[in-house]
């Protein structure tokens, strides 16, 4: 079956032609009878000449689909306008919660100060005592802290 991202079957991208099912060889179909004549060698050579072009076109379609998915995701994602110097709260994960707190325990940890922007949407944090945290934190796990 052709992939939606490339528009081609994986077999045709590797071998340069579509696969022939064994049933079609034993019981000839129109497709098999057209391919098994003397023109088969010529069409096979033409398919092999065009295989690089088909691979390039499949790659272009795949990249275009990935860009479309990225645009859709970025359109819906909410980037919070956090900047260096802001104070934030960080979500507590299930592993960092104390087991004896139960469901009424706190869900946020902090406050922390943003020291630097590490990557798109991630920040390096430090505690109030100016001790740097080991990992960078994504903006999805942070929320602005109002004094």
């Amino acid at each position: 079956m052709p992939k939606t991202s490339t528009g081609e079957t994986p077999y045709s991208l590797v071998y340069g032609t579509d696969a022939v099912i064994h049933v079609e060889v034993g019981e000839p179909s129109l497709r098999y009878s057209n391919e098994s004549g003397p023109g088969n060698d010529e069409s096979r050579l033409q398919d092999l000449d065009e295989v690089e072009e088909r691979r390039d076109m499949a790659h272009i379609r795949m990249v275009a689909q990935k860009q479309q998915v990225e645009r859709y995701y970025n359109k819906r994602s909410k980037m919070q306008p956090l900047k260096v110097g802001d104070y934030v709260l960080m979500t507590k994960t299930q592993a960092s919660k104390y087991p004896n707190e139960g469901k009424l325990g706190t869900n946020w940890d902090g406050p922390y100060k943003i020291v630097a922007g590490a990557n798109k949407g991630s920040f390096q944090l430090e505690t109030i005592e100016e001790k740097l945290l080991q990992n960078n934190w994504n903006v999805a796990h942070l929320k602005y802290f109002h004094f």
Side-chain angles (χ1 to χ4, degrees):
M1 292 296 296
K3 297 266 187 186
T4 56
S5 60
T6 60
E8 300 284 339
T9 62
Y11 187 88
S12 69
L13 289 176
V14 173
Y15 298 109
T17 185
D18 289 327
V20 177
I21 303 171
H22 293 298
V23 175
E24 292 180 356
V25 175
E27 187 139 337
S29 66
L30 181 63
R31 176 179 164 202
Y32 179 73
S33 61
N34 286 342
E35 287 186 6
S36 62
N40 187 33
D41 294 336
E42 294 172 12
S43 71
R44 178 72 178 138
L45 290 174
Q46 184 179 359
D47 285 345
L48 289 174
D49 289 340
E50 294 174 353
V51 73
E52 286 299 323
E53 182 180 336
R54 290 172 65 190
R55 287 177 186 157
D56 291 341
M57 292 303 294
H59 179 70
I60 289 170
R61 282 192 297 270
M62 185 176 66
V63 168
Q65 183 190 27
K66 286 182 180 181
Q67 287 174 346
Q68 182 182 9
V69 169
E70 182 182 8
R71 280 193 305 269
Y72 179 80
Y73 174 79
N74 289 339
K75 184 170 60 173
R76 300 202 181 284
S77 67
K78 298 175 184 174
M79 290 297 294
Q80 295 179 356
L82 297 176
K83 56 189 177 294
V84 175
D86 286 346
Y87 286 91
V88 294
L89 295 175
M90 183 173 50
T91 58
K92 280 189 176 179
T93 61
Q94 193 67 29
S96 65
K97 287 185 179 181
Y98 295 112
N100 58 355
E101 282 184 341
K103 68 178 185 179
L104 299 177
T106 59
N107 294 328
W108 296 93
D109 201 16
Y112 297 99
K113 183 178 179 180
I114 297 177
V115 179
N119 201 354
K120 180 182 175 185
S122 64
F123 297 100
Q124 187 174 11
L125 304 177
E126 72 177 14
T127 62
I128 299 296
E129 294 84 28
E130 298 182 1
K131 180 182 174 190
L132 283 175
L133 294 183
Q134 184 177 4
N135 299 325
N136 297 330
W137 290 89
N138 192 314
V139 71
H141 303 287
L142 304 174
K143 80 173 179 181
Y144 187 76
F145 178 68
H146 303 279
F147 279 104

